[in-house]
Amino acid sequence: MVPNQNGAAATESPSVPARSLVARCESGFGKLVDALNGAGSLLIFAVMVLVGCDVLGRALFGTPIYGVAELVALSVVAIVFLQLGSALRHQRMTRADLFLESFMRRRPRAGLILSALFNLAGVGVCIAMALATGPLLVQAWSHGQYIGVEGLFKAETWPVRLIVIVGSSVAGIQYLLLAWADMRACARTTTSSE
């Protein structure tokens, strides 16, 4: 028994099913995706402040901040991969839906299968990105690779390579969840039409 707001004992309704393991995992994964998106937004803010300070430094004191161009270049890549999963999850990823939407209206089951295949292709692309970046991460870590000019400014590249692997892995999982949702909807469409 769980006390309600008035302090009285209340029981959980037997008609409300317990959340399945899949739903709980998907909810936890959603929190991870949104946390990465938040980190990307904070990085955007930091880049804006850095560029603003560089512009002010050049205008007021005639002195730039060393490494701004390098940090912005690294940050753009990091921001894209930090926010990629969220763009997919919240359906903000750019894609040409002109064909798919009209096709789904005419043939919903075939449209859902086509959408699932598109999402599975996205899984493949994300796996390829993560696998291709893995050796680059090891090389950047072991050799201490950096960008910049020795003595003025240098930034190691391994954190961005790690973000690429994490971001593409998260996006791949999100594509897989979208494909799974399409296939479930396809199964429901099949059973409801029978």
Side-chain angles (χ1 to χ4, degrees), residues 4 10 25 34 39 47 60 62 73 85 87 103 115 126-127 138 149 159 172 176 188:
N4 62 17
C25 288
D34 290 338
V47 166
L60 297 178
F103 187 69
S115 179
C126 290
I127 289 171
V138 171
V149 178
L176 195 60
R188 283 194 302 271

Side-chain angles (χ1 to χ4, degrees), residues 2-19:
V2 179
N4 62 17
Q5 290 179 343
N6 299 330
T11 59
E12 291 185 16
S13 171
S15 63
V16 177
R19 291 181 68 193

Side-chain angles (χ1 to χ4, degrees), residues 27-48:
S27 172
F29 179 73
K31 289 177 184 174
L32 171 67
V33 169
D34 290 338
L36 290 174
N37 183 45
S41 297
L42 289 174
L43 189 53
I44 290 170
F45 179 75
V47 166
M48 287 175 18

Side-chain angles (χ1 to χ4, degrees), residues 52-64:
C53 290
D54 184 47
V55 169
L56 285 175
R58 288 173 189 267
L60 297 178
F61 308 111
T63 306

Side-chain angles (χ1 to χ4, degrees), residues 47-136:
V47 166
M48 287 175 18
V49 170
L50 183 63
V51 169
C53 290
D54 184 47
V55 169
L56 285 175
R58 288 173 189 267
L60 297 178
F61 308 111
T63 306
I65 299 174
Y66 294 116
V68 170
E70 290 86 354
L71 286 176
V72 169
L74 288 174
S75 297
V76 167
V77 175
I79 289 164
V80 166
F81 282 92
L82 284 170
Q83 296 189 328
L84 184 59
S86 179
L88 288 169
R89 185 172 188 83
H90 300 291
Q91 298 175 356
R92 293 187 303 245
M93 188 70 143
T94 303
R95 69 185 227 187
D97 284 338
L98 184 64
F99 166 75
L100 190 59
E101 285 181 5
S102 63
F103 187 69
M104 275 191 161
R105 279 194 294 271
R106 286 183 279 127
R107 302 193 60 195
R109 185 168 184 264
L112 288 166
I113 292 171
L114 188 61
S115 179
L117 289 173
F118 170 82
N119 289 324
L120 289 174
V123 172
V125 169
C126 290
I127 289 171
M129 285 190 297
L131 291 176
T133 308
L136 299 175

